[in-house]
Amino acid sequence: MCGIVGAILSEGSVVQGLVDGLRVLEYRGYDSSGVAVAADDGVLVRKKEGRLANLEAALADGALEGARAGIGHTRWATHGPPSDRNAHPHLGRHGTLAVVHNGIIENYLALKEELTGSGVVFQSETDTEVLAHLIERELATADDLSSAVRRCLARVEGYYALAVLSRGPAGPEVVCARQGPPLAVASTADAAYLASDLLGLLPYTNRISFLEDGDIAVLTPGRVQVIDLQGRLVERLPKTIHWESGDSGLGHWPHHMLKEIHEQGDVLARTAFSRIAKGADDVEFEGGAFSDEFFAEIERVQVTACGTALHAGMIASYLIEGLARIPVDVDFASEFRYRDPLVGPGTLALAISQSGETADTLAATRLARSKGAKVAAICNVEGSSQVRESDGVILTQAGPEIGVASTKAFTAQVAAALLLAVRMGRARGTLDSERARELLQELRLLRPKIDSLLTEEAVGRVRRLARLHVEQNGFLFLGRGVNFPIALEGALKLKEISYMHAEGYAAGEMKHGPIALIDPGMTIVVINSVGHVADKVRANIEQVKARGGVTVSVGSDAASHEVAEDSIPVPETSEWLSPLLNVIPLQLLSYYVADLRGCDIDKPRNLAKSVTVE
Ligand code: M6R
């Protein structure tokens, strides 16, 4: 959701650094943005509806230059529509204190009424503004800003990552606090910084501390001190992060999504190859994680995730059941957390998340743990909440994923799931050495196959298809077995970035309803790779054709390409691994359809990269 930055320097000017930080975090929310800096006689604010460029234009007068402390925000609206007024930061009454916030203050109406009763006139429709007035009121009688923040938070219900800037008589103060949404802090010799995620801090240092719920951090140049809500000091040791700040750049690519699609060969290699054990018939995770003992008591696996990560989780269920012969349930994290699920000590709760900060996935993990489950995660962000809260973690090595539409993180999640399934199968004795070796050898061979799907010629073929089908009324994606989740993923990708109607279905379900949708205005994309259900899926293509439907077959089943109007051939591999190839043309198809429709591909409407609120 929203992105937050803040900094206090011993000397120099903070404003450009804040804007640069917001640019890196803009993928978290992009309906408005703003900064506040501490000037000689108060806090100065600039904020603008729309993209960061609007804020930059508003800063062009240089009036905020020279200030050495400030905070900034890029917004994904919850309370009050996107507008200059509702953009953060929000000021207290006296113009000496400003607040930025990610999250929701659930009791803001009661607090607003109280504050209005004492004469406060609200300037925005946001829940956040109550924080500015409450903290300002407390500051009048508190020793310092952190005490005022503590007193305010004692009255607040809800969740937040917030940063507060005050310009009191003693100089600028910057404090931040976390309850729910993520917040990280770091210091260098002569400055201290805060940001919603590590991408905002990496330009300064790779030694980063992650705040826990209930933490309040006080930033002074060269130092970050963390206290709890009672004011007691707590230690949050910095972790060394292995991403480079340049990894999130666009380079020569027109969009992050296209760049990230093209990175998938490398991502697969980084995530999987170094974890293939020496004898090439097993998987070895760092630090001996997921040992035989880890799985000893496990009777079933419960996967929870959201969106694209859920689709990776569905593939994980086929892989784990197929190779490790252990029952797997998969659920939307948002459903799981409210359905009083049957989970106990024999359950391995496996969360899958790119960001590691998705509110529903975290809540599902916490619920599973509270019921006695062992908790594991497949996650892309080192130091994220999901990683910190899991007993076993497979870090995907996708690097920063900036495009809101997840692509390379998905590939990495599926590769990680395969590694986990092989390890489980080996630990449980359901997968013999020879089969494991064959599968891992096939996995290694995927690298050139992925590259072959990303040559100019292969991409050109998809682009031509996008042109042919862009005027259609909608798309239906069909897949079966381990490629059913790929049908769901193809549909999700297309709808989220091109806003075209698209549905994904299990191919065998077509005749139970979706077949009624078939007409020449609907493109039916059928994913079919060589494997035990290929004949069945091919028959579905015939059924669609017989009803005048327009079909595109994607996969390694050459016979399907003969039947369908259009096709995207994909190299053959083991059926288990076929999703890792089949998804790539679908990602490209979405990309080019969205491009032809003039959509804002990296920042689709209404979406945000990291969904840290419910
Ligand atoms: O960070 P997470 O993997 O937990 O995020 C889950 C979903 O919000 C995410 O996959 C979303 O569906 C993407 N926009 C899909 O492209």
Side-chain angles (χ1 to χ4, degrees):
M1 304 271 108
C2 311
I4 291 178
V5 291
I8 183 162
L9 319 176
S10 59
E11 56 185 31
S13 178
V14 79
V15 68
Q16 190 56 49
L18 294 176
V19 172
D20 292 344
L22 291 180
R23 187 170 299 108
V24 174
L25 295 188
E26 205 186 3
Y27 74 106
R28 298 182 65 92
Y30 34 84
D31 62 42
S32 53
S33 55
V35 293
V37 298
D40 288 343
D41 51 354
V43 167
L44 298 178
V45 172
R46 291 282 189 283
K47 49 187 192 168
K48 279 285 163 203
E49 183 186 345
R51 295 296 159 83
L52 194 58
N54 299 354
L55 175 66
E56 287 180 288
L59 289 167
D61 63 4
L64 272 57
E65 289 298 337
R68 64 181 185 84
I71 54 177
H73 189 266
T74 175
R75 182 170 187 245
W76 185 87
T78 59
H79 293 63
S83 66
D84 289 357
R85 238 155 58 86
N86 289 333
H88 298 211
H90 294 285
L91 281 169
R93 265 203 284 189
H94 307 302
T96 55
L97 180 141
V99 175
V100 294
H101 164 227
N102 174 21
I104 292 175
I105 305 303
E106 285 166 353
N107 61 338
Y108 88 101
L109 281 175
L111 294 170
K112 190 168 180 174
E113 205 176 298
E114 178 190 314
L115 287 158
T116 308
S118 66
V120 172
V121 179
F122 278 79
Q123 306 297 321
S124 75
E125 299 151 89
T126 65
D127 53 339
T128 303
E129 196 182 341
V130 297
L131 296 173
H133 296 298
L134 270 183
I135 297 170
E136 184 185 71
R137 194 171 76 181
E138 296 298 339
L139 193 55
T141 56
D143 293 338
D144 54 21
L145 182 60
S146 65
S147 310
V149 170
R150 277 198 298 122
R151 283 199 219 158
C152 161
L153 295 181
R155 304 216 42 216
V156 161
E157 288 161 24
Y159 40 102
Y160 47 77
L162 60 90
V164 190
L165 171 72
S166 143
R167 179 59 174 98
E173 288 182 273
V174 176
V175 165
C176 61
R178 174 188 181 171
Q179 180 67 44
L183 202 53
V185 289
S187 58
T188 57
D190 49 9
Y193 302 93
L194 67 95
S196 294
D197 68 38
L198 47 86
L199 291 179
L201 300 175
L202 282 176
Y204 308 107
T205 175
N206 67 344
R207 299 275 298 153
I208 291 170
S209 300
F210 298 91
L211 298 189
E212 302 284 350
D213 284 352
D215 285 355
I216 297 172
V218 181
L219 280 70
T220 47
R223 186 167 186 223
V224 178
Q225 198 172 46
V226 184
I227 55 175
D228 64 15
L229 288 167
Q230 283 70 47
R232 295 173 300 219
L233 274 178
V234 289
E235 199 168 40
R236 297 288 173 238
L237 292 175
K239 288 187 188 342
T240 302
I241 301 299
H242 298 99
W243 285 355
E244 301 289 328
S245 73
D247 292 351
S248 56
L250 197 50
H252 66 281
W253 296 95
H255 296 100
H256 284 282
M257 182 182 178
L258 193 60
K259 171 177 180 254
E260 288 161 4
I261 289 173
H262 280 265
E263 284 171 4
Q264 290 178 107
D266 288 345
V267 166
L268 172 81
R270 283 203 303 267
T271 300
F273 296 171
S274 64
R275 287 162 166 160
I276 298 176
K278 270 215 177 75
D281 64 349
D282 203 343
V283 166
E284 222 172 77
F285 291 105
E286 303 76 35
F290 300 105
S291 61
D292 291 3
E293 297 71 51
F294 184 90
F295 298 118
E297 312 281 308
I298 301 301
E299 291 155 11
R300 59 184 283 269
V301 177
Q302 172 69 61
V303 178
T304 54
C306 304
T308 286
L310 182 91
H311 300 151
M314 292 171 74
I315 295 172
S317 77
Y318 287 92
L319 296 172
I320 295 171
E321 284 195 352
L323 303 175
R325 306 306 294 152
I326 188 163
V328 186
D329 292 304
V330 187
D331 205 352
F332 300 101
S334 55
E335 286 299 312
F336 178 84
R337 64 182 292 192
Y338 289 116
R339 72 172 164 83
D340 193 12
L342 295 171
V343 168
T347 307
L348 175 64
L350 174 64
I352 304 185
S353 174
Q354 187 284 129
S355 62
E357 302 293 351
T358 299
D360 285 322
T361 310
L362 277 169
T365 298
R366 290 171 187 155
L367 176 66
R369 183 186 286 292
S370 74
K371 288 174 173 281
K374 208 170 213 178
V375 168
I378 293 176
C379 188
N380 194 40
V381 181
E382 218 175 335
S384 61
S385 303
Q386 195 71 57
V387 167
R388 296 201 307 277
E389 295 186 26
S390 298
D391 304 317
V393 175
I394 306 175
L395 270 179
T396 49
Q397 304 293 339
E401 190 180 62
I402 306 297
V404 165
S406 186
T407 53
K408 63 175 180 171
F410 174 79
T411 313
Q413 287 159 354
V414 175
L418 178 87
L419 297 180
L420 184 66
V422 168
R423 181 74 276 280
M424 270 178 107
R426 298 295 283 135
R428 293 168 53 80
T430 53
L431 183 67
D432 63 34
S433 163
E434 200 181 327
R435 258 184 91 210
R437 193 189 304 276
E438 272 169 26
L439 207 51
L440 293 170
Q441 174 60 14
E442 269 299 321
L443 185 65
R444 277 195 183 280
L445 295 176
L446 276 193
R447 173 74 201 266
K449 292 178 183 173
I450 289 181
D451 291 345
S452 78
L453 291 167
L454 293 167
T455 60
E456 231 170 86
E457 192 193 338
V459 172
R461 184 177 185 127
V462 180
R463 205 185 302 130
R464 272 194 302 281
L465 275 179
R467 264 188 233 119
L468 277 175
H469 294 264
V470 66
E471 302 294 341
Q472 289 287 79
N473 300 328
F475 283 72
L476 182 61
F477 290 79
L478 301 176
R480 195 154 186 176
V482 74
N483 280 302
F484 161 47
I486 294 299
L488 297 179
E489 177 60 8
L492 174 62
K493 218 80 309 171
L494 186 66
K495 79 180 97 178
E496 78 176 318
I497 60 166
S498 77
Y499 319 141
M500 284 191 81
H501 183 71
E503 286 195 57
Y505 254 93
E509 277 289 296
M510 187 186 67
K511 54 195 170 298
H512 298 287
I515 199 164
L517 292 173
I518 290 168
D519 70 21
M522 173 79 91
T523 295
I524 321 292
V525 180
V526 185
I527 300 113
N528 196 17
S529 273
V530 173
H532 76 295
V533 287
D535 294 353
K536 314 271 174 209
V537 179
R538 207 177 310 124
N540 290 130
I541 304 178
E542 299 277 12
Q543 288 159 9
V544 173
K545 273 192 77 173
R547 285 158 184 85
V550 182
T551 50
V552 178
S553 73
V554 177
S556 63
D557 183 59
S560 291
H561 304 325
E562 300 289 309
V563 186
E565 266 88 13
D566 285 315
S567 62
I568 309 179
V570 166
E572 196 174 329
T573 182
S574 151
E575 189 176 358
W576 295 119
L577 303 182
S578 58
L580 285 163
L581 296 179
N582 290 339
V583 74
I584 291 175
L586 303 189
Q587 296 167 342
L588 287 168
L589 183 67
S590 310
Y591 175 84
Y592 286 111
V593 169
D595 199 36
L596 288 165
R597 286 166 62 89
C599 299
D600 192 345
I601 292 178
D602 282 337
K603 297 189 179 76
R605 70 182 179 208
N606 304 335
L607 285 168
K609 180 74 182 161
S610 180
V611 185
T612 54
V613 297
E614 268 199 85

